[in-house]
Amino acid sequence: MVIEDEQPFCFGEKPDFRKFMSKACPRFQFPSRRTCTRDIVRHYFEEKAKLKKFFKDSCQRVCLTTDCWTSQVQDGYMTVIATFIDENWNLHKKVISFFMVKGHKGEDIGKNLTRCLADWGLDRVMTVTVDNASANDSGVDYLRRQLQETNIAKGKFLHMRCAAHIVNLIVRDGLQEVDLSIKRVRAAVRYIKNGTSRLVKFKEIAEEEKVDSKAFLKLDVPTRWNYTYLMLKAAIVYEKVFLKLAEDDTNYVIDLSKARDGFGHPDEDDWDNAKKMAQFLHHFHDLTVRISSSLQVTCNTFFHEIGEVHLLIQEWLNSEDNLQVSMGMRMKEKFDKYWGLWHTNSKDNDRQQQEQDRDKGRSKGRGKEKEKDKDKENINLFIFVAAFLDPRYKLSLYTKISVEEIFGEERCQLVWAAINTCVRELFEEYRNMYATSEETTQVIDANQSKGGAGGMLKEKIAKRMKLSNCSTSTNKSELEKYLAEETEDTEKKMDILG
């Protein structure tokens, strides 16, 4: 109970709990805080040993997610989450490390990740998902160098940028166009919620205006746009009440006025902007909920969500409303930075040169070049590889049209060729990794067949079948067989791990 409900170790010493248990189960022995601490720490190490054994014996690859933040008392913290699939194809997510850090510099992040992996005996990492802070780029580069021998595709796709964070950056750029309107609505909501008499008067006006809503006003967190959406959604219902309040309550107008260092109270234009923004943010809110799910696999549908973002922005760019066009332009710029453009001279192609310069001590003075490379970084192709592994999409026309919608007709051919090349190279890499045991089995079978009855006949028949191309179907690789099968219906609900 202490673990499941996240109760303090001293919970067993609480007087109310002891009183309750004395009636419910008089024979219950109350554990002390020391007993709770000892038992839980022992249980932690037992579970850690089991997980380490699983990582060593049964786990092929793990995907890491990490983030850093600073507490109110200026202490730095870092957490590392491992996501993996067990032998029964069940998805797991485990917090494998949570610790204090001295700094948030790139090399510090990389060293902390390396120490964490060493502690768990992990060296087979598929991807590392981080937000878009520049320090994380350096941290992942450091980790890439440490995992040279076990990286897939030489670590080219190790760095996975957090999709939810990119959506957050895109939306926040768009919100800047209506920043004043949002600030006024926020100030109005705060004014109402900061006094009991104000709440009473607000509810009286709501009854007069016949506003019937179970949901009431919510105050947002300015740095979290999804909370801004929820605030706007709730406040829009009470638009008439706020406008009536501005007529009846002079204190409301004065307190929010610029004379009191405020932004002014929201007028009809501000409410029009709020409605437009709430309608638009509704799509992004639902999209963020979908891609943030941790109880099911979502990577196979990421390309869908990226396409949705592109179409939403495009719709605003084509609008006749100047505000929507301005917001769309801001958001398109950020979208293109991370997802919407394809560069033939990406930073992946220049990484070897950077490493050579670093080894020669010429890394100084390349800061500006590094920033330019970041702007020219391509989307991680694992997003499309995950879609390829979904029987509904594969490398079908459906997937190709999706790529064309995101990148445009001109760049689509380049991206599509890169996706095909990536898929086939990954297949060959995995086949080479696991070919040893298969080839050994084939050699043993061949030796047994030669020594057994009919061995010469079988060998001769096999040669003639090969010459007459009769065995073409049996010589197809698993990749070719998979691609040759028809795709499933795209509307079909499917558990990709099932």
mmCIF file of all heavy atoms in Angstrom, residues 227-266:
data_model
loop_
_atom_site.group_PDB
_atom_site.id
_atom_site.type_symbol
_atom_site.label_atom_id
_atom_site.label_comp_id
_atom_site.label_asym_id
_atom_site.label_seq_id
_atom_site.Cartn_x
_atom_site.Cartn_y
_atom_site.Cartn_z
ATOM 1 N N TYR A 227 -2.896 23.857 -21.176
ATOM 2 C CA TYR A 227 -3.693 24.451 -20.107
ATOM 3 C C TYR A 227 -4.319 25.763 -20.573
ATOM 4 O O TYR A 227 -5.422 26.122 -20.133
ATOM 5 C CB TYR A 227 -2.829 24.684 -18.869
ATOM 6 C CG TYR A 227 -2.501 23.413 -18.121
ATOM 7 C CD1 TYR A 227 -1.286 22.768 -18.297
ATOM 8 C CD2 TYR A 227 -3.421 22.846 -17.240
ATOM 9 C CE1 TYR A 227 -0.990 21.594 -17.627
ATOM 10 C CE2 TYR A 227 -3.131 21.673 -16.560
ATOM 11 C CZ TYR A 227 -1.911 21.055 -16.753
ATOM 12 O OH TYR A 227 -1.625 19.889 -16.087
ATOM 13 N N THR A 228 -3.619 26.473 -21.452
ATOM 14 C CA THR A 228 -4.189 27.691 -22.031
ATOM 15 C C THR A 228 -5.444 27.348 -22.830
ATOM 16 O O THR A 228 -6.453 28.070 -22.782
ATOM 17 C CB THR A 228 -3.160 28.390 -22.936
ATOM 18 O OG1 THR A 228 -2.002 28.719 -22.165
ATOM 19 C CG2 THR A 228 -3.727 29.658 -23.549
ATOM 20 N N TYR A 229 -5.381 26.246 -23.561
ATOM 21 C CA TYR A 229 -6.549 25.793 -24.328
ATOM 22 C C TYR A 229 -7.728 25.512 -23.399
ATOM 23 O O TYR A 229 -8.865 25.923 -23.666
ATOM 24 C CB TYR A 229 -6.191 24.548 -25.132
ATOM 25 C CG TYR A 229 -7.394 23.742 -25.568
ATOM 26 C CD1 TYR A 229 -8.272 24.233 -26.534
ATOM 27 C CD2 TYR A 229 -7.674 22.501 -24.999
ATOM 28 C CE1 TYR A 229 -9.389 23.508 -26.918
ATOM 29 C CE2 TYR A 229 -8.777 21.772 -25.378
ATOM 30 C CZ TYR A 229 -9.637 22.272 -26.337
ATOM 31 O OH TYR A 229 -10.735 21.558 -26.714
ATOM 32 N N LEU A 230 -7.467 24.783 -22.304
ATOM 33 C CA LEU A 230 -8.542 24.448 -21.364
ATOM 34 C C LEU A 230 -9.115 25.706 -20.713
ATOM 35 O O LEU A 230 -10.326 25.779 -20.461
ATOM 36 C CB LEU A 230 -8.014 23.486 -20.295
ATOM 37 C CG LEU A 230 -7.565 22.105 -20.808
ATOM 38 C CD1 LEU A 230 -6.933 21.300 -19.687
ATOM 39 C CD2 LEU A 230 -8.730 21.348 -21.422
ATOM 40 N N MET A 231 -8.243 26.697 -20.449
ATOM 41 C CA MET A 231 -8.715 27.962 -19.887
ATOM 42 C C MET A 231 -9.627 28.685 -20.874
ATOM 43 O O MET A 231 -10.715 29.161 -20.504
ATOM 44 C CB MET A 231 -7.523 28.852 -19.530
ATOM 45 C CG MET A 231 -7.916 30.215 -18.976
ATOM 46 S SD MET A 231 -6.532 31.380 -18.896
ATOM 47 C CE MET A 231 -6.292 31.750 -20.638
ATOM 48 N N LEU A 232 -9.186 28.790 -22.136
ATOM 49 C CA LEU A 232 -9.991 29.468 -23.165
ATOM 50 C C LEU A 232 -11.314 28.751 -23.390
ATOM 51 O O LEU A 232 -12.367 29.387 -23.523
ATOM 52 C CB LEU A 232 -9.206 29.545 -24.472
ATOM 53 C CG LEU A 232 -7.939 30.411 -24.467
ATOM 54 C CD1 LEU A 232 -7.217 30.295 -25.803
ATOM 55 C CD2 LEU A 232 -8.281 31.869 -24.184
ATOM 56 N N LYS A 233 -11.251 27.420 -23.426
ATOM 57 C CA LYS A 233 -12.461 26.618 -23.655
ATOM 58 C C LYS A 233 -13.512 26.886 -22.582
ATOM 59 O O LYS A 233 -14.711 27.010 -22.883
ATOM 60 C CB LYS A 233 -12.086 25.140 -23.675
ATOM 61 C CG LYS A 233 -13.246 24.203 -23.955
ATOM 62 C CD LYS A 233 -12.778 22.754 -23.909
ATOM 63 C CE LYS A 233 -13.953 21.800 -24.106
ATOM 64 N NZ LYS A 233 -13.500 20.371 -24.001
ATOM 65 N N ALA A 234 -13.068 26.985 -21.331
ATOM 66 C CA ALA A 234 -14.004 27.238 -20.230
ATOM 67 C C ALA A 234 -14.473 28.694 -20.221
ATOM 68 O O ALA A 234 -15.650 28.974 -19.962
ATOM 69 C CB ALA A 234 -13.336 26.885 -18.904
ATOM 70 N N ALA A 235 -13.560 29.638 -20.518
ATOM 71 C CA ALA A 235 -13.899 31.064 -20.427
ATOM 72 C C ALA A 235 -14.840 31.509 -21.541
ATOM 73 O O ALA A 235 -15.692 32.390 -21.317
ATOM 74 C CB ALA A 235 -12.620 31.898 -20.457
ATOM 75 N N ILE A 236 -14.714 30.931 -22.723
ATOM 76 C CA ILE A 236 -15.539 31.331 -23.876
ATOM 77 C C ILE A 236 -17.019 31.142 -23.579
ATOM 78 O O ILE A 236 -17.862 31.928 -24.028
ATOM 79 C CB ILE A 236 -15.113 30.525 -25.127
ATOM 80 C CG1 ILE A 236 -13.765 31.045 -25.636
ATOM 81 C CG2 ILE A 236 -16.156 30.611 -26.220
ATOM 82 C CD1 ILE A 236 -13.134 30.154 -26.680
ATOM 83 N N VAL A 237 -17.345 30.132 -22.802
ATOM 84 C CA VAL A 237 -18.748 29.877 -22.449
ATOM 85 C C VAL A 237 -19.345 31.070 -21.693
ATOM 86 O O VAL A 237 -20.536 31.372 -21.803
ATOM 87 C CB VAL A 237 -18.846 28.593 -21.583
ATOM 88 C CG1 VAL A 237 -20.293 28.326 -21.171
ATOM 89 C CG2 VAL A 237 -18.274 27.399 -22.328
ATOM 90 N N TYR A 238 -18.482 31.776 -20.955
ATOM 91 C CA TYR A 238 -18.950 32.890 -20.120
ATOM 92 C C TYR A 238 -18.641 34.247 -20.760
ATOM 93 O O TYR A 238 -18.532 35.259 -20.053
ATOM 94 C CB TYR A 238 -18.278 32.813 -18.747
ATOM 95 C CG TYR A 238 -18.697 31.606 -17.941
ATOM 96 C CD1 TYR A 238 -17.961 30.423 -17.992
ATOM 97 C CD2 TYR A 238 -19.839 31.632 -17.142
ATOM 98 C CE1 TYR A 238 -18.334 29.311 -17.262
ATOM 99 C CE2 TYR A 238 -20.222 30.528 -16.405
ATOM 100 C CZ TYR A 238 -19.465 29.367 -16.467
ATOM 101 O OH TYR A 238 -19.853 28.268 -15.739
ATOM 102 N N GLU A 239 -18.528 34.292 -22.077
ATOM 103 C CA GLU A 239 -18.214 35.555 -22.763
ATOM 104 C C GLU A 239 -19.225 36.647 -22.427
ATOM 105 O O GLU A 239 -18.850 37.782 -22.084
ATOM 106 C CB GLU A 239 -18.182 35.326 -24.277
ATOM 107 C CG GLU A 239 -17.933 36.608 -25.063
ATOM 108 C CD GLU A 239 -18.112 36.421 -26.567
ATOM 109 O OE1 GLU A 239 -18.290 35.264 -27.021
ATOM 110 O OE2 GLU A 239 -18.067 37.442 -27.281
ATOM 111 N N LYS A 240 -20.518 36.326 -22.503
ATOM 112 C CA LYS A 240 -21.556 37.323 -22.201
ATOM 113 C C LYS A 240 -21.425 37.840 -20.777
ATOM 114 O O LYS A 240 -21.655 39.032 -20.512
ATOM 115 C CB LYS A 240 -22.940 36.707 -22.397
ATOM 116 C CG LYS A 240 -23.285 36.359 -23.835
ATOM 117 C CD LYS A 240 -24.686 35.767 -23.899
ATOM 118 C CE LYS A 240 -25.063 35.379 -25.324
ATOM 119 N NZ LYS A 240 -26.427 34.767 -25.384
ATOM 120 N N VAL A 241 -21.056 36.950 -19.871
ATOM 121 C CA VAL A 241 -20.942 37.341 -18.457
ATOM 122 C C VAL A 241 -19.799 38.325 -18.275
ATOM 123 O O VAL A 241 -19.936 39.329 -17.560
ATOM 124 C CB VAL A 241 -20.724 36.083 -17.582
ATOM 125 C CG1 VAL A 241 -20.673 36.474 -16.105
ATOM 126 C CG2 VAL A 241 -21.820 35.057 -17.826
ATOM 127 N N PHE A 242 -18.661 38.068 -18.912
ATOM 128 C CA PHE A 242 -17.509 38.980 -18.803
ATOM 129 C C PHE A 242 -17.826 40.341 -19.404
ATOM 130 O O PHE A 242 -17.451 41.389 -18.846
ATOM 131 C CB PHE A 242 -16.290 38.372 -19.497
ATOM 132 C CG PHE A 242 -15.554 37.360 -18.668
ATOM 133 C CD1 PHE A 242 -15.623 36.011 -18.971
ATOM 134 C CD2 PHE A 242 -14.790 37.754 -17.581
ATOM 135 C CE1 PHE A 242 -14.948 35.069 -18.210
ATOM 136 C CE2 PHE A 242 -14.106 36.827 -16.810
ATOM 137 C CZ PHE A 242 -14.189 35.479 -17.117
ATOM 138 N N LEU A 243 -18.525 40.365 -20.546
ATOM 139 C CA LEU A 243 -18.878 41.637 -21.181
ATOM 140 C C LEU A 243 -19.867 42.418 -20.314
ATOM 141 O O LEU A 243 -19.776 43.656 -20.199
ATOM 142 C CB LEU A 243 -19.474 41.379 -22.570
ATOM 143 C CG LEU A 243 -18.509 40.784 -23.610
ATOM 144 C CD1 LEU A 243 -19.253 40.462 -24.905
ATOM 145 C CD2 LEU A 243 -17.361 41.768 -23.901
ATOM 146 N N LYS A 244 -20.808 41.712 -19.697
ATOM 147 C CA LYS A 244 -21.777 42.354 -18.802
ATOM 148 C C LYS A 244 -21.091 42.869 -17.548
ATOM 149 O O LYS A 244 -21.409 43.960 -17.035
ATOM 150 C CB LYS A 244 -22.857 41.332 -18.431
ATOM 151 C CG LYS A 244 -23.941 41.845 -17.496
ATOM 152 C CD LYS A 244 -24.835 42.874 -18.157
ATOM 153 C CE LYS A 244 -25.994 43.254 -17.256
ATOM 154 N NZ LYS A 244 -26.807 44.350 -17.821
ATOM 155 N N LEU A 245 -20.104 42.096 -17.062
ATOM 156 C CA LEU A 245 -19.358 42.492 -15.870
ATOM 157 C C LEU A 245 -18.589 43.791 -16.113
ATOM 158 O O LEU A 245 -18.484 44.645 -15.221
ATOM 159 C CB LEU A 245 -18.390 41.374 -15.478
ATOM 160 C CG LEU A 245 -17.604 41.567 -14.167
ATOM 161 C CD1 LEU A 245 -18.558 41.535 -12.964
ATOM 162 C CD2 LEU A 245 -16.535 40.485 -14.023
ATOM 163 N N ALA A 246 -18.068 43.951 -17.325
ATOM 164 C CA ALA A 246 -17.334 45.177 -17.661
ATOM 165 C C ALA A 246 -18.241 46.404 -17.623
ATOM 166 O O ALA A 246 -17.793 47.519 -17.318
ATOM 167 C CB ALA A 246 -16.707 45.041 -19.048
ATOM 168 N N GLU A 247 -19.547 46.214 -17.891
ATOM 169 C CA GLU A 247 -20.501 47.322 -17.850
ATOM 170 C C GLU A 247 -20.937 47.640 -16.419
ATOM 171 O O GLU A 247 -21.133 48.803 -16.065
ATOM 172 C CB GLU A 247 -21.732 46.975 -18.692
ATOM 173 C CG GLU A 247 -21.424 46.792 -20.174
ATOM 174 C CD GLU A 247 -22.648 46.323 -20.960
ATOM 175 O OE1 GLU A 247 -23.735 46.194 -20.333
ATOM 176 O OE2 GLU A 247 -22.531 46.080 -22.177
ATOM 177 N N ASP A 248 -21.062 46.588 -15.585
ATOM 178 C CA ASP A 248 -21.633 46.760 -14.247
ATOM 179 C C ASP A 248 -20.594 47.009 -13.159
ATOM 180 O O ASP A 248 -20.893 47.654 -12.149
ATOM 181 C CB ASP A 248 -22.457 45.529 -13.854
ATOM 182 C CG ASP A 248 -23.652 45.327 -14.783
ATOM 183 O OD1 ASP A 248 -23.934 46.241 -15.580
ATOM 184 O OD2 ASP A 248 -24.293 44.258 -14.708
ATOM 185 N N ASP A 249 -19.395 46.493 -13.333
ATOM 186 C CA ASP A 249 -18.397 46.548 -12.265
ATOM 187 C C ASP A 249 -17.204 47.399 -12.701
ATOM 188 O O ASP A 249 -16.344 46.965 -13.473
ATOM 189 C CB ASP A 249 -17.934 45.124 -11.930
ATOM 190 C CG ASP A 249 -17.074 45.076 -10.679
ATOM 191 O OD1 ASP A 249 -16.678 46.145 -10.182
ATOM 192 O OD2 ASP A 249 -16.783 43.956 -10.207
ATOM 193 N N THR A 250 -17.137 48.628 -12.190
ATOM 194 C CA THR A 250 -16.030 49.530 -12.554
ATOM 195 C C THR A 250 -14.701 49.041 -11.962
ATOM 196 O O THR A 250 -13.632 49.285 -12.540
ATOM 197 C CB THR A 250 -16.314 50.956 -12.063
ATOM 198 O OG1 THR A 250 -16.593 50.920 -10.652
ATOM 199 C CG2 THR A 250 -17.501 51.558 -12.795
ATOM 200 N N ASN A 251 -14.767 48.369 -10.810
ATOM 201 C CA ASN A 251 -13.541 47.853 -10.190
ATOM 202 C C ASN A 251 -12.855 46.827 -11.110
ATOM 203 O O ASN A 251 -11.622 46.769 -11.174
ATOM 204 C CB ASN A 251 -13.847 47.201 -8.843
ATOM 205 C CG ASN A 251 -14.237 48.225 -7.790
ATOM 206 O OD1 ASN A 251 -13.769 49.366 -7.833
ATOM 207 N ND2 ASN A 251 -15.092 47.833 -6.863
ATOM 208 N N TYR A 252 -13.668 46.031 -11.772
ATOM 209 C CA TYR A 252 -13.156 45.023 -12.711
ATOM 210 C C TYR A 252 -12.373 45.696 -13.836
ATOM 211 O O TYR A 252 -11.258 45.274 -14.180
ATOM 212 C CB TYR A 252 -14.330 44.206 -13.251
ATOM 213 C CG TYR A 252 -14.019 43.345 -14.460
ATOM 214 C CD1 TYR A 252 -13.229 42.204 -14.365
ATOM 215 C CD2 TYR A 252 -14.558 43.674 -15.715
ATOM 216 C CE1 TYR A 252 -12.971 41.417 -15.474
ATOM 217 C CE2 TYR A 252 -14.302 42.887 -16.826
ATOM 218 C CZ TYR A 252 -13.507 41.763 -16.698
ATOM 219 O OH TYR A 252 -13.248 40.981 -17.803
ATOM 220 N N VAL A 253 -12.931 46.756 -14.375
ATOM 221 C CA VAL A 253 -12.278 47.480 -15.479
ATOM 222 C C VAL A 253 -11.026 48.189 -14.995
ATOM 223 O O VAL A 253 -9.968 48.142 -15.659
ATOM 224 C CB VAL A 253 -13.260 48.494 -16.108
ATOM 225 C CG1 VAL A 253 -12.562 49.284 -17.209
ATOM 226 C CG2 VAL A 253 -14.487 47.774 -16.660
ATOM 227 N N ILE A 254 -11.111 48.816 -13.824
ATOM 228 C CA ILE A 254 -9.977 49.592 -13.305
ATOM 229 C C ILE A 254 -8.809 48.675 -12.930
ATOM 230 O O ILE A 254 -7.651 48.957 -13.248
ATOM 231 C CB ILE A 254 -10.413 50.439 -12.089
ATOM 232 C CG1 ILE A 254 -11.403 51.516 -12.535
ATOM 233 C CG2 ILE A 254 -9.206 51.071 -11.398
ATOM 234 C CD1 ILE A 254 -12.049 52.266 -11.389
ATOM 235 N N ASP A 255 -9.130 47.570 -12.234
ATOM 236 C CA ASP A 255 -8.064 46.656 -11.780
ATOM 237 C C ASP A 255 -7.286 46.045 -12.937
ATOM 238 O O ASP A 255 -6.091 45.752 -12.803
ATOM 239 C CB ASP A 255 -8.662 45.529 -10.930
ATOM 240 C CG ASP A 255 -8.962 45.988 -9.509
ATOM 241 O OD1 ASP A 255 -8.751 47.184 -9.232
ATOM 242 O OD2 ASP A 255 -9.411 45.163 -8.697
ATOM 243 N N LEU A 256 -7.947 45.866 -14.067
ATOM 244 C CA LEU A 256 -7.282 45.257 -15.227
ATOM 245 C C LEU A 256 -6.728 46.291 -16.199
ATOM 246 O O LEU A 256 -6.124 45.923 -17.211
ATOM 247 C CB LEU A 256 -8.244 44.324 -15.978
ATOM 248 C CG LEU A 256 -8.823 43.145 -15.191
ATOM 249 C CD1 LEU A 256 -9.688 42.288 -16.097
ATOM 250 C CD2 LEU A 256 -7.713 42.298 -14.577
ATOM 251 N N SER A 257 -6.916 47.563 -15.901
ATOM 252 C CA SER A 257 -6.511 48.622 -16.832
ATOM 253 C C SER A 257 -4.996 48.800 -16.850
ATOM 254 O O SER A 257 -4.276 48.354 -15.952
ATOM 255 C CB SER A 257 -7.183 49.936 -16.442
ATOM 256 O OG SER A 257 -6.703 50.368 -15.174
ATOM 257 N N LYS A 258 -4.522 49.473 -17.860
ATOM 258 C CA LYS A 258 -3.085 49.732 -17.999
ATOM 259 C C LYS A 258 -2.585 50.671 -16.899
ATOM 260 O O LYS A 258 -1.388 50.664 -16.576
ATOM 261 C CB LYS A 258 -2.805 50.333 -19.372
ATOM 262 C CG LYS A 258 -3.063 49.368 -20.515
ATOM 263 C CD LYS A 258 -2.760 49.992 -21.860
ATOM 264 C CE LYS A 258 -3.029 48.994 -22.995
ATOM 265 N NZ LYS A 258 -2.773 49.593 -24.332
ATOM 266 N N ALA A 259 -3.490 51.473 -16.343
ATOM 267 C CA ALA A 259 -3.114 52.362 -15.249
ATOM 268 C C ALA A 259 -2.655 51.569 -14.029
ATOM 269 O O ALA A 259 -1.883 52.063 -13.206
ATOM 270 C CB ALA A 259 -4.293 53.263 -14.872
ATOM 271 N N ARG A 260 -3.156 50.345 -13.890
ATOM 272 C CA ARG A 260 -2.758 49.440 -12.796
ATOM 273 C C ARG A 260 -1.741 48.406 -13.284
ATOM 274 O O ARG A 260 -1.617 47.329 -12.712
ATOM 275 C CB ARG A 260 -3.999 48.730 -12.252
ATOM 276 C CG ARG A 260 -5.019 49.644 -11.600
ATOM 277 C CD ARG A 260 -4.562 50.110 -10.227
ATOM 278 N NE ARG A 260 -5.559 50.949 -9.570
ATOM 279 C CZ ARG A 260 -6.513 50.466 -8.765
ATOM 280 N NH1 ARG A 260 -6.613 49.166 -8.554
ATOM 281 N NH2 ARG A 260 -7.365 51.293 -8.198
ATOM 282 N N ASP A 261 -1.024 48.767 -14.343
ATOM 283 C CA ASP A 261 -0.018 47.864 -14.947
ATOM 284 C C ASP A 261 -0.637 46.567 -15.468
ATOM 285 O O ASP A 261 0.004 45.506 -15.477
ATOM 286 C CB ASP A 261 1.089 47.519 -13.923
ATOM 287 C CG ASP A 261 1.884 48.751 -13.518
ATOM 288 O OD1 ASP A 261 2.062 49.636 -14.373
ATOM 289 O OD2 ASP A 261 2.307 48.827 -12.351
ATOM 290 N N GLY A 262 -1.883 46.645 -15.887
ATOM 291 C CA GLY A 262 -2.556 45.485 -16.466
ATOM 292 C C GLY A 262 -2.550 45.546 -17.990
ATOM 293 O O GLY A 262 -1.905 46.406 -18.601
ATOM 294 N N PHE A 263 -3.288 44.613 -18.598
ATOM 295 C CA PHE A 263 -3.365 44.558 -20.061
ATOM 296 C C PHE A 263 -4.724 45.031 -20.578
ATOM 297 O O PHE A 263 -4.970 45.055 -21.781
ATOM 298 C CB PHE A 263 -3.131 43.122 -20.540
ATOM 299 C CG PHE A 263 -1.791 42.554 -20.152
ATOM 300 C CD1 PHE A 263 -1.679 41.681 -19.080
ATOM 301 C CD2 PHE A 263 -0.644 42.909 -20.838
ATOM 302 C CE1 PHE A 263 -0.446 41.165 -18.707
ATOM 303 C CE2 PHE A 263 0.594 42.408 -20.483
ATOM 304 C CZ PHE A 263 0.692 41.528 -19.403
ATOM 305 N N GLY A 264 -5.608 45.411 -19.626
ATOM 306 C CA GLY A 264 -6.960 45.783 -20.026
ATOM 307 C C GLY A 264 -7.879 44.578 -19.952
ATOM 308 O O GLY A 264 -7.423 43.425 -19.931
ATOM 309 N N HIS A 265 -9.195 44.818 -19.919
ATOM 310 C CA HIS A 265 -10.147 43.699 -19.868
ATOM 311 C C HIS A 265 -10.457 43.238 -21.303
ATOM 312 O O HIS A 265 -10.372 44.036 -22.253
ATOM 313 C CB HIS A 265 -11.430 44.135 -19.162
ATOM 314 C CG HIS A 265 -12.187 45.215 -19.884
ATOM 315 N ND1 HIS A 265 -11.841 46.546 -19.814
ATOM 316 C CD2 HIS A 265 -13.269 45.155 -20.715
ATOM 317 C CE1 HIS A 265 -12.662 47.267 -20.543
ATOM 318 N NE2 HIS A 265 -13.546 46.440 -21.115
ATOM 319 N N PRO A 266 -10.815 41.986 -21.477
ATOM 320 C CA PRO A 266 -11.077 41.467 -22.839
ATOM 321 C C PRO A 266 -12.334 42.068 -23.448
ATOM 322 O O PRO A 266 -13.391 42.105 -22.810
ATOM 323 C CB PRO A 266 -11.230 39.953 -22.617
ATOM 324 C CG PRO A 266 -11.593 39.792 -21.173
ATOM 325 C CD PRO A 266 -10.930 40.927 -20.458
#
